[in-house]
Amino acid sequence: MAAESSTEERGELSPRSQQQMQERTPPPPAAPPPAPQAAPRRSPQLRVLLTPLPAPGRRLPQKRLLGAYDEAAGGDGKRRRAERSSPEHEDGGSDGDSDGMEAGQDGSPPLSAYERKRLKNISENAKFFAALKLHESAARLHEILAKGPSHVAKRAKPRKAEGGTVQRRSMRLQRMQPPEVPQVEAPAEEEQEEHVPAGPLPMATGGQEEKSETALLGTWLQLSEMKNNNTEKRTCDMARYQAALSSMLLREDSIRKVVSSRVRSVAIHPTESAVLVAAGDKSGHVGLWDVSRTAEEGAHVFTPHNFSVNCMHFSPSHPAQLLSLSHDSLRCGDVSRAVFDEIYRTEDSLSSFDFLEDGACTAIVGLWDGTVAVVDRRTPGTSPELSADIGFKMTRTVDVHPVDKQYFLAAGSVDVRVYDVRWLRRSGNQAVSTLHGHTKSVASAYFSPSSGRRVVTVCADDKLRVYDTSSLSATSALLCTVRHNNNTGRWLTRFRAVWDPKQEQCFVVGSMARPRQIEVFQDTGLLLHAFCSPELLGSVCSINAFHPTRNILVGGNSSGRLHVFME
């Protein structure tokens, strides 16, 4: 007892007291068994069902959030939904986030808390967008687009300070001629729109030295009055002819830029005393070059036409006259009167012409629309004597038979035919002979110069063809075909194969081969000679012509330059 008392005095329980306390104390409840580990679930997905605004007098069913809320609530989801639908929760507080129903003041059906919050969000969003003023900005943008792009004045470029670095520009970019070409005043853009007037034009170059021009015209007139010692065309055997071709060389002083743009036609004066060459370009210029003169006074340029000079011939009986044809007119440049007379003018485009007799008073003219016209220079006015439809889509070249002048050869898109000018009518014309075999457009067709027994054609199907026209039957026989690259493109004048007046069986044509060259073929298809000079000839000479009596060949390229091969 004394021991127990001493233990209680120290504030400690005796062992007996501790046993009594344990007996009176109920045992602690058993620990609950560990909960089974839940299987991994997919992330909850929120599905929202939106409700349109309720119409007056109609109560819409209550919408709620489904899916993620129920999955997050687990098994207690049904119990919580039941609690929300109990009367206690319906009559609960007026918290805006609760799901209770609230009746409208005008007797409309009550709105749920979700609908009230939705209407509140709509109102706040409307106020926010109104503060941004998007409707006003959209209206202003629509007005700007309706007015179109505004014309803003360009700011003037500041001038460079004096003494600064000067940028060098080539003569081509400055639209300047090379030094060896007589400086012609370049017309301004407004002046280029001016057209050459109809009617006679004075034979003046304009802007060039009058003294040198008078000298050139005087040389032309003097050469035209001279008669050749041997007027007959010389024909030799093939071996001597090839030797003569090999002796013709290109020298540095026999190259000259005569016209400003692409050469479309070339003519050689028939005199044997000098070499006088005429060239027509794409811009309506006609250039005359006396090859024997110096660079400063040897060439002069005239402007008798508005458009491309497609064809030129010196008159066979009057070499003082140079006839040139452009798209709109046929003119005769008479050096004895120093004037370009107008022979024929039309609104249709002209393509080529040839003389119907040696006096050069009448001519047959081809038009791009497929018709031909007969022109008589002795008739006053500029109208044709006859305009005939020969059934072509276009007429590129016309050529008169050298012996029987009533026949002429016309080359069209894919047609080459021989007609009799005596039987031409306005329509319904029948061909005397037809040259078949062309599959693409024909660039040219010409009779052989002395007898007319051969015709050479150039076609876009990369072939040169030679026909037998000795009998002028209904269908002319094809003698030979030569594979030849005629694909000149848009920047080069199309090739024209023309006969050598001195040699009945040979013709000359341009070439696309490298090194650049001019080719001479026999009517059998044999290549006789190729004129080339790697140092001096570096361009394609599309238009070529032989001198009628001398061993001289002239070739023109797309830059207005002439190359003269001579002995």
Side-chain angles (χ1 to χ4, degrees):
M1 294 295 294
E4 294 176 359
S5 300
S6 59
T7 302
E8 292 175 358
E9 290 176 0
R10 291 194 303 269
E12 299 177 357
L13 295 178
S14 62
R16 183 179 180 180
S17 300
Q18 293 178 1
Q19 181 178 6
Q20 293 176 357
M21 289 289 291
Q22 291 177 358
E23 292 176 356
R24 291 193 297 268
T25 303
Q37 187 175 358
R41 297 177 300 179
R42 293 182 300 176
S43 57
Q45 298 180 355
L46 182 63
R47 296 181 296 170
V48 182
L49 301 178
L50 302 179
T51 306
L53 293 176
R58 178 183 178 186
R59 180 172 179 177
L60 297 177
Q62 180 180 350
K63 300 296 186 296
R64 52 188 174 82
L65 298 177
L66 304 177
Y69 178 81
D70 293 342
E71 290 185 50
D76 296 334
K78 294 183 179 180
R79 180 179 57 81
R80 294 184 181 180
R81 288 196 296 270
E83 291 177 358
R84 289 196 302 269
S85 61
S86 61
E88 295 179 359
H89 287 273
E90 290 181 2
D91 298 335
S94 60
D95 187 7
D97 293 336
S98 64
D99 292 338
M101 307 295 290
E102 180 179 350
Q105 297 179 1
D106 55 352
S108 60
L111 300 176
S112 64
Y114 170 79
E115 293 172 341
R116 293 198 304 274
K117 187 173 182 179
R118 178 173 172 272
L119 293 176
K120 181 180 178 182
N121 291 340
I122 292 175
S123 177
E124 293 178 355
N125 291 340
K127 292 179 181 179
F128 174 73
F129 286 117
L132 295 178
K133 298 181 180 180
L134 296 180
H135 296 288
E136 291 80 355
S137 301
R140 288 196 300 269
L141 180 61
H142 181 71
E143 293 178 0
I144 293 174
L145 294 177
K147 292 180 180 179
S150 59
H151 300 280
V152 181
K154 294 183 178 180
R155 184 176 60 182
K157 295 182 179 179
R159 295 183 178 179
K160 294 183 178 180
E162 296 182 359
T165 304
V166 179
Q167 184 179 3
R168 299 184 62 183
R169 300 178 63 192
S170 66
M171 299 184 69
R172 178 179 62 83
L173 295 177
Q174 299 180 38
R175 301 181 182 275
M176 297 175 60
Q177 300 290 346
E180 68 271 12
V181 179
Q183 299 294 325
V184 183
E185 215 171 311
E189 294 184 359
E190 293 79 11
E191 296 178 356
Q192 290 180 357
E193 297 179 357
E194 296 181 1
H195 294 281
V196 176
L201 296 174
M203 191 175 287
T205 56
Q208 295 177 341
E209 296 183 4
E210 183 179 356
K211 183 178 180 181
S212 60
E213 175 188 339
T214 304
L216 177 63
L217 297 180
T219 301
W220 181 11
L221 181 60
Q222 183 181 1
L223 294 176
S224 302
E225 293 175 351
M226 298 174 61
K227 294 184 178 180
N228 297 330
N229 296 329
N230 185 10
T231 57
E232 294 193 7
K233 301 176 182 178
R234 295 173 293 179
T235 302
C236 55
D237 57 66
M238 202 57 58
R240 294 177 56 188
Y241 180 70
Q242 282 185 286
L245 296 178
S246 300
S247 65
M248 299 164 58
L249 302 177
L250 179 65
R251 301 176 179 85
E252 189 174 359
D253 58 352
S254 59
I255 303 174
R256 180 67 181 272
K257 186 176 177 65
V258 178
V259 287
S260 59
S261 59
R262 186 195 313 174
V263 176
R264 297 298 303 271
S265 56
V266 170
I268 305 177
H269 195 279
T271 182
E272 295 182 355
S273 304
V275 182
L276 182 63
V277 184
D281 70 356
K282 185 180 178 182
S283 303
H285 301 139
V286 173
L288 285 176
W289 179 26
D290 185 359
V291 182
S292 61
R293 290 183 174 271
T294 62
E296 290 76 13
E297 58 182 10
H300 289 277
V301 180
F302 305 90
T303 312
H305 300 283
N306 290 310
F307 308 102
S308 172
V309 182
N310 300 320
C311 187
M312 286 195 309
H313 294 292
F314 282 97
S315 173
S317 57
H318 303 284
Q321 297 178 353
L322 174 65
L323 283 84
S324 59
L325 178 139
S326 181
H327 287 314
D328 59 344
S329 62
L330 173 63
R331 290 184 178 272
C332 176
D334 191 346
V335 66
S336 60
R337 299 188 296 115
V339 65
F340 285 100
D341 283 327
E342 191 172 61
I343 300 174
Y344 176 35
R345 171 171 287 273
T346 179
E347 296 181 356
D348 302 323
S349 295
L350 308 179
S351 59
S352 61
F353 78 98
D354 196 11
F355 303 113
L356 287 172
E357 37 83 27
D358 293 334
C361 292
T362 58
I364 185 76
V365 181
L367 287 79
W368 287 108
D369 62 359
T371 61
V372 294
V374 178
V375 178
D376 192 339
R377 296 172 54 187
R378 297 164 295 187
T379 303
T382 58
S383 300
E385 302 299 317
L386 174 65
S387 180
D389 183 5
I390 58 176
F392 283 15
K393 292 183 179 179
M394 62 176 64
T395 305
R396 294 185 182 274
T397 60
V398 291
D399 187 50
V400 177
H401 196 281
V403 178
D404 300 323
K405 295 290 186 178
Q406 69 272 18
Y407 298 119
F408 70 93
L409 180 68
S413 54
V414 293
D415 303 307
V416 180
R417 301 173 188 172
V418 180
Y419 290 90
D420 191 338
V421 70
R422 300 171 299 180
W423 296 98
L424 281 182
R425 302 292 182 269
R426 293 187 179 274
S427 61
N429 294 283
Q430 300 295 326
V432 175
S433 180
T434 303
L435 285 64
H436 296 288
H438 304 92
T439 59
K440 292 186 179 180
S441 62
V442 180
S444 65
Y446 295 105
F447 283 113
S448 55
S450 298
S451 62
R453 295 179 179 180
R454 299 288 185 268
V455 168
V456 59
T457 65
V458 179
C459 186
D461 58 5
D462 290 342
K463 290 181 181 179
L464 307 176
R465 294 177 173 87
V466 179
Y467 292 85
D468 181 10
T469 55
S470 56
S471 61
L472 286 182
S473 57
T475 301
S476 298
L478 177 64
L479 294 180
C480 74
T481 300
V482 180
R483 294 290 302 177
H484 191 268
N485 184 5
N486 299 325
N487 187 15
T488 53
R490 61 177 299 186
W491 304 114
L492 299 176
T493 304
R494 299 186 65 177
F495 291 154
R496 299 175 193 169
V498 295
W499 298 92
D500 186 350
K502 304 179 297 296
Q503 195 72 19
E504 175 74 10
Q505 303 173 352
C506 300
F507 60 88
V508 61
V509 65
S511 174
M512 297 294 293
R514 292 182 182 273
R516 297 307 188 191
Q517 54 193 270
I518 303 172
E519 298 171 340
V520 179
F521 288 90
Q522 195 175 358
D523 58 0
T524 59
L526 176 65
L527 177 63
L528 294 179
H529 184 73
F531 292 95
C532 62
S533 176
E535 298 82 10
L536 300 177
L537 182 60
S539 58
V540 177
C541 291
S542 301
I543 303 299
N544 306 279
F546 273 110
H547 192 278
T549 56
R550 295 180 58 184
N551 292 327
I552 296 175
L553 172 68
V554 179
N557 65 5
S558 60
S559 64
R561 197 176 301 272
L562 296 183
H563 305 76
V564 179
F565 293 82
M566 61 175 57
E567 295 178 334

